[in-house]
Amino acid sequence: MNKPLSSAASNFIRNIIDQDLAAGKNDGRVATRFPPEPNGYLHIGHAKSICLNFGIANDYNGTCNLRFDDTNPEKESVEYMEAIKKDVEWLGYQWHELRFASDYFQQLYEFAVELIKAGHAYVDSSSAEEMREMRGSLKKPGIESPYRNRSVEENLALFEAMKNGDHEDGSHVLRAKIDMAASNINMRDPALYRIRKVHHFRTGDAWNIYPMYDYTHCTSDAIENITHSLCTLEFEDHRPLYDWVLDTLDTASHPQQIEFARLSLEYTVLSKRRLIQLVEENHVQGWDDPRMPTVSGMRRRGFTPGSIREFCAAIGITKKDAWIEMAMLETCVRDDLNAHSERRLAVLDPIKVVITDFDDSTATALQFANHPQNESLGKRDISFSAELYIERDDFAEDPPPKFQRLVPGGEVRLRGSYVIKCEEVIKDANGQVTELRVTHDRDTLGKKPEGRKVKGVIHWVDAATAVDAEIRLYEPLFTVPDPASAETMASVINPASKTVLNGCKVEPALASAAAEERFQFERIGYFVADSTDHSSSTPVFNRTITLRDSWK
Ligand code: ATP
Ligand code: MG
């Protein structure tokens, strides 16, 4: 579908790769990886990184691995891992190899022993608090730990004991021996390993120590022969450490880390920590709630993989952080759905219309094109009879100026069918309109009425064949552009972010829609059959997006 599986047209990273290839670096190979931690579901920010990493591999005839950075066992799970795999595939990408940082635990341990033996790493037995004190600050150089000059033998023995589970969590860490006075705090003897006696979803209880992110990432990249390690800007200050580890170990491969700006999207939050909070505090109904900026949420909402790729290409890849407006994402979705989704008739808030002079025995099905521009999508039959439903707000007893739809005594065209005239308005005891009695002009099927202009066109469904449906309308989850800066997320949740309409009337073809099938409901918006709750006996649709940009 539309956007190819390539990355943004041109960007500074592609320029670097072009230069590397021209200079004959990496034997002309391009190898990237997407390295999520399986501690939550992927969100639209991850999609940006996926489109970049997989897109570059596709464009340069290279490879992209999916590597799980599974080094924090207490937060990680099989559920998250499976969800991530599914989301990457749904976005349209296929990994070259599926890897896990945990596959390298033994190798990483051996690397660490090598560092100890060469005098480049030591076991520190200071408390976390003491280490924080000794680290110093931007203005103040750090102080060397009293354990910094332990002998190689002592370090080796301690590190092995840490591995064997002889010491408690937090009692020791393995640190790189670099420079406590470095201006870059990341270089002040960073931790490489900590003790964590917890179960890992892949390695079980085999390990009592787990490697730190900065140490794991660069070594995993090197083991996989990655050429360009693309990450977000917050890791720029970690690059000297990335290079130090690989230079010191003198690995055969030394990938190049390149940083780019993360995606920040208005009216939502893009951090797993906050997304977990939304789920746990029940502000949403799970990770795939259609209001979530997760890939699974956007999927359930009806977004297409192509529109997400299009969006990622449109925002581009830069070195500078910037906020992106939600309207930009929605424009990509709307354009894609407009081009590809079939049209259907649905009435969200029905009011009955009885055509008093229509003889049902003369009724024939009307033919409707499934798409106004794309004939190949074919046509379908729509039944028509003396009883119909129209949208309550397509009628006004006391119309505002310029109202061009149905009014008492006025005429309107029923889309694809006749012109009708409102003859009588029937109300209940509360004054609520329950039915409109109308007559029709038999000579207006596919023809303009004689001698007068009828401007308004409204949609409808045939009461005889219409099916009841539940329709869920979604609005932004937050009331402010930057919810993360609010004191609490709860205080900026939009109380009207979800509205459930029951008793909507839809044409029968919609009951047989497949889960996740997408449509334009004429004059209303784009909708998708809910992946979980929709069935032919209880049709449920989610509004993906309105027909027009409502952000302006
Ligand atoms: P979060 O803050 O949501 O937990 P993370 O960076 O910790 O995000 P990871 O699973 O570690 O999540 O990320 C996997 C990859 O996705 C990393 O390379 C990371 O840089 C990238 N990524 C995460 N969030 C964004 C974002 N908002 N924009 C672009 N890339 C992102
Ligand atoms: Mg992370």
Side-chain angles (χ1 to χ4, degrees), residues 295-362:
V295 173
S296 53
M298 293 188 291
R299 174 177 182 171
R300 190 163 178 191
R301 176 79 174 254
F303 287 21
T304 60
S307 61
I308 295 173
R309 297 196 301 266
E310 177 73 42
F311 169 73
C312 291
I315 56 177
I317 298 293
T318 63
K319 264 267 186 220
K320 207 166 154 323
D321 284 317
W323 282 89
I324 303 290
E325 291 178 3
M326 190 63 94
M328 188 160 171
L329 173 58
E330 292 190 354
T331 297
C332 295
V333 175
R334 195 175 282 114
D335 289 351
D336 192 10
L337 292 176
N338 182 37
H340 298 101
S341 51
E342 293 194 3
R343 275 43 175 177
R344 293 289 184 269
L345 297 177
V347 174
L348 272 46
D349 184 8
I351 170 168
K352 187 171 260 186
V353 170
V354 176
I355 311 177
T356 54
D357 59 349
F358 187 81
D359 175 4
D360 271 348
S361 68
T362 67

Side-chain angles (χ1 to χ4, degrees), residues 34-37 43 45-46 48-49 232 260 262-263 270-272:
F34 172 64
E37 183 178 353
H43 52 65
H46 293 114
K48 175 179 179 177
S49 176
T232 36
F260 64 95
R262 354 176 21 97
L263 169 63
L270 294 184
S271 104
K272 276 183 274 188

Side-chain angles (χ1 to χ4, degrees), residues 3-22 30 32 51-61 93 228 230 256 258-260 313 316-318:
K3 194 69 201 169
L5 300 166
S6 66
S7 75
S10 105
N11 58 54
F12 78 97
I13 295 179
R14 294 173 67 115
N15 294 342
I16 293 173
I17 295 177
D18 289 337
Q19 285 163 17
D20 288 351
L21 290 176
V30 175
T32 58
C51 290
L52 175 66
N53 280 293
F54 285 92
I56 281 183
N58 288 347
D59 289 350
Y60 287 90
N61 200 15
Y93 296 104
H228 300 85
L230 315 178
Q256 179 182 2
I258 307 170
E259 308 85 16
F260 64 95
I317 298 293
T318 63

